[in-house]
Amino acid sequence: MNAVLFDMDGVLVDSEDYWVAFQREDILPAAVPEQDVDVAETSGMNYREIYDYLETEYGTAISREAFVRRFAAAAEEIYTERVDLLEGLHDLLSELEAAGIPTALVSSSPHDWIAIVTERFDLEDSFDHVISADDIDAASKPAPDVFEYAAAEVGVPAEECLVVEDSENGIEAAARAGTLVVAYRIDAHGDIDRSPADEVVDTPAELRAAVLERTDRYSSH
């Protein structure tokens, strides 16, 4: 493929374990205490849209302001103190750069959360583009909007972009955008539907191999 778009949470950093625990144990019981909401319903969504979704589907027991405050506090702790970087990421990005393949970090998280990750792990200059769902006034994943926008920003047609995603909503969004999708299987999401993906990988080494093999195959033609 001619560009690679990386999701952040669950792919570049192992934050999904912490986010799933936070949602399951903290925010969902507070926001919808009378409902048993599956975390998979909201995984991959922008946190502000999670509130809208919960309010529409179930009705919420806390205010939007309280909801946002809890998420922001959790983000500060998760990204500053807890997460680890995807093994071999710097080398993979260097190989893609050497091959002339543009890259983008594409996340539902806001830019200030993304900045914590890029600064902490020395990634500020590692991507050609850093894109947040906050950059567009459109629907969150599983809608394809953020990946369509990312492809336009990178200047490569969506069908020539490879997306690495982990969540059910993210995989569906990338597939709906017409990209080639590599799904990174992580324990935090359990047995979700990964069927829209073109390939499923289980380890950082498999992820690296899939990305390089796909980009080499197409960039060589």
Side-chain angles (χ1 to χ4, degrees):
M1 309 308 280
N2 292 323
V4 183
L5 315 179
F6 293 91
D7 178 46
M8 183 176 80
D9 291 289
V11 174
L12 300 184
V13 290
D14 60 347
S15 51
E16 286 297 280
D17 286 329
Y18 306 110
W19 279 123
V20 166
F22 166 72
Q23 292 189 61
R24 184 179 291 136
E25 299 165 13
D26 186 314
I27 198 68
L28 290 176
V32 284
E34 303 302 318
Q35 305 291 334
D36 182 19
V37 180
D38 189 337
V39 174
E41 289 183 45
T42 58
S43 66
M45 287 185 184
N46 178 283
Y47 73 111
R48 296 184 183 92
E49 291 208 4
I50 293 177
Y51 185 87
D52 296 337
Y53 173 84
L54 295 174
E55 174 65 26
T56 300
E57 294 294 321
Y58 303 104
T60 51
I62 60 174
S63 69
R64 171 183 289 272
E65 292 73 22
F67 186 89
V68 167
R69 280 197 303 271
R70 286 190 188 220
F71 255 94
E76 180 76 22
E77 178 183 350
I78 288 170
Y79 296 127
T80 302
E81 301 175 15
R82 297 186 181 272
V83 299
D84 290 315
L85 190 67
L86 177 73
E87 182 181 341
L89 177 64
H90 283 284
D91 290 341
L92 173 57
L93 293 174
S94 295
E95 289 179 84
L96 291 170
E97 181 180 14
I101 303 293
T103 58
L105 187 166
V106 184
S107 178
S108 293
S109 292
H111 276 290
D112 53 346
W113 298 5
I114 297 170
I116 298 174
V117 170
T118 57
E119 290 169 15
R120 180 180 170 193
F121 295 110
D122 193 24
L123 293 167
E124 291 102 327
D125 301 316
S126 296
F127 297 94
D128 296 294
H129 300 270
V130 175
I131 295 163
S132 164
D134 284 353
D135 295 338
I136 58 174
D137 183 20
S140 188
K141 303 171 188 176
D145 303 54
V146 71
F147 289 118
E148 293 172 344
Y149 175 83
E153 285 292 292
V154 174
V156 174
E159 60 269 20
E160 295 178 20
C161 292
L162 185 157
V163 171
V164 184
E165 260 285 1
D166 63 299
S167 72
E168 185 169 333
N169 285 328
I171 292 165
E172 181 180 344
R176 288 172 62 185
T179 70
L180 188 145
V181 187
V182 173
Y184 185 41
R185 194 197 319 266
I186 59 174
D187 292 341
H189 292 317
D191 189 25
I192 61 170
D193 179 14
R194 299 178 178 89
S195 62
D198 297 278
E199 185 172 353
V200 180
V201 297
D202 293 282
T203 67
E206 289 181 8
L207 189 159
R208 173 184 176 278
V211 169
L212 293 178
E213 191 268 339
R214 298 276 186 171
T215 51
D216 179 68
R217 178 195 302 171
Y218 288 91
S219 61
S220 63
H221 287 282

